[in-house]
Amino acid sequence: MPESGVFGFIYRVTDVIYKLAWSNILWFFTSGFPLVLFIFGDWIIPLALFLLIGPPGTVALFHVMSVWQKDGDLSVWNTYWSGWKKNWKRAYKVVDVYVIIGVILVVDLVVVANAPQSVLKWIGFLLFPTATLYILTSVTLLPLLVRYPWKLFELVKNAFVLSVSHLFSSTAVLLSLGVVIVTAVSFMPPLAFFFSASVTAWAFTWQTGRILDKIDRLQKERSESLESNAM
């Protein structure tokens, strides 16, 4: 493998593109294809299908990104199926519950937005920040799932705390992803097909890793400070 120079640069770029595209294709054909049915205007059938087959592959995709960012090199195929087998039971518990909560929030927002009574519309002022916090929590939820063997409540609580305590950077990641994906869908649909899920998983994993690394540094500095004060 070329390490430096022009050929090294080209190799690293093509390697990143290959891994993102290959992991995205694996996710789509094992988990994400029901979402295509949203194009036809229906949401119940694709949602039900995704809840049935989507969670293990989605978590496997995040497992690939976690291993990739930690070790730097990997076999996408082997790592994907390793993550699938390792986490499929927890994936159903976490992803299905989280998606169902999201659907309930969306339905509530639609009902409140179309309600004729002004009293009900005021409820939207409570639902909107709740939905915002729900979306922010998604940034760290699955990256934490593939890292730690936490139960559902502990996982969601820690994901919420990490995302909200780093509100600006988590929001920036979400907005940047939104702009990239909308642009790709509008002008380059094939790119959206090959990269949307994997780029999202990569960005969420990267953001979570940054937060955890920062926490580790602060803990080490605090520990060293306490040790020096004790001497």
Side-chain angles (χ1 to χ4, degrees):
M1 180 183 76
E3 296 290 341
S4 59
V6 175
F7 289 106
F9 174 77
I10 294 174
Y11 173 85
R12 288 189 291 272
V13 170
T14 54
D15 184 59
V16 168
I17 294 172
Y18 159 75
K19 286 174 180 173
L20 288 173
W22 182 213
S23 58
N24 201 100
I25 291 169
L26 281 174
W27 171 82
F28 179 81
F29 285 105
T30 60
S31 297
F33 62 88
L35 301 180
V36 174
L37 297 176
F38 280 116
I39 298 173
F40 301 102
D42 186 22
W43 64 272
I44 296 178
I45 293 177
L47 177 63
L49 286 175
F50 180 79
L51 292 176
L52 182 64
I53 66 173
T58 302
V59 172
L61 177 63
F62 278 84
H63 177 75
V64 169
M65 299 306 154
S66 180
V67 173
W68 183 11
Q69 293 183 22
K70 181 180 178 181
D71 297 338
D73 196 14
L74 77 164
S75 165
V76 172
W77 175 269
N78 292 335
T79 307
Y80 184 88
W81 291 112
S82 173
W84 200 102
K85 288 184 243 184
K86 179 181 178 182
N87 297 301
W88 71 271
K89 290 183 180 179
R90 293 178 67 224
Y92 277 112
K93 293 177 183 178
V94 174
V95 176
D96 280 358
V97 169
Y98 199 73
V99 170
I100 290 171
I101 292 173
V103 171
I104 293 172
L105 282 172
V106 170
V107 171
D108 287 344
L109 285 169
V110 171
V111 170
V112 169
N114 293 282
Q117 297 90 346
S118 58
V119 175
L120 285 179
K121 290 185 181 294
W122 281 98
I123 300 176
F125 286 102
L126 297 177
L127 287 174
F128 184 74
T130 302
T132 302
L133 293 174
Y134 169 88
I135 295 171
L136 282 170
T137 302
S138 68
V139 174
T140 55
L141 183 69
L142 295 185
L144 289 178
L145 185 151
V146 299
R147 282 174 176 254
Y148 304 107
W150 293 330
K151 299 294 184 182
L152 177 61
F153 177 77
E154 186 179 12
L155 177 64
V156 173
K157 179 191 71 174
N158 288 326
F160 172 80
V161 170
L162 287 183
S163 292
V164 174
S165 62
H166 294 77
L167 183 61
F168 178 79
S169 58
S170 296
T171 303
V173 168
L174 283 170
L175 292 176
S176 300
L177 276 173
V179 171
V180 169
I181 292 174
V182 169
T183 302
V185 170
S186 301
F187 300 103
M188 297 169 286
L191 288 182
F193 172 77
F194 283 107
F195 296 103
S196 57
S198 58
V199 168
T200 299
W202 189 94
F204 283 7
T205 302
W206 174 78
Q207 169 67 0
T208 304
R210 286 181 65 247
I211 295 173
L212 294 175
D213 289 343
K214 183 177 180 180
I215 292 173
D216 287 341
R217 287 197 303 271
L218 291 174
Q219 288 178 341
K220 288 179 181 178
E221 290 174 2
R222 185 177 302 171
S223 177
E224 291 172 357
S225 177
L226 290 173
E227 289 178 0
S228 62
N229 291 333
M231 291 180 179

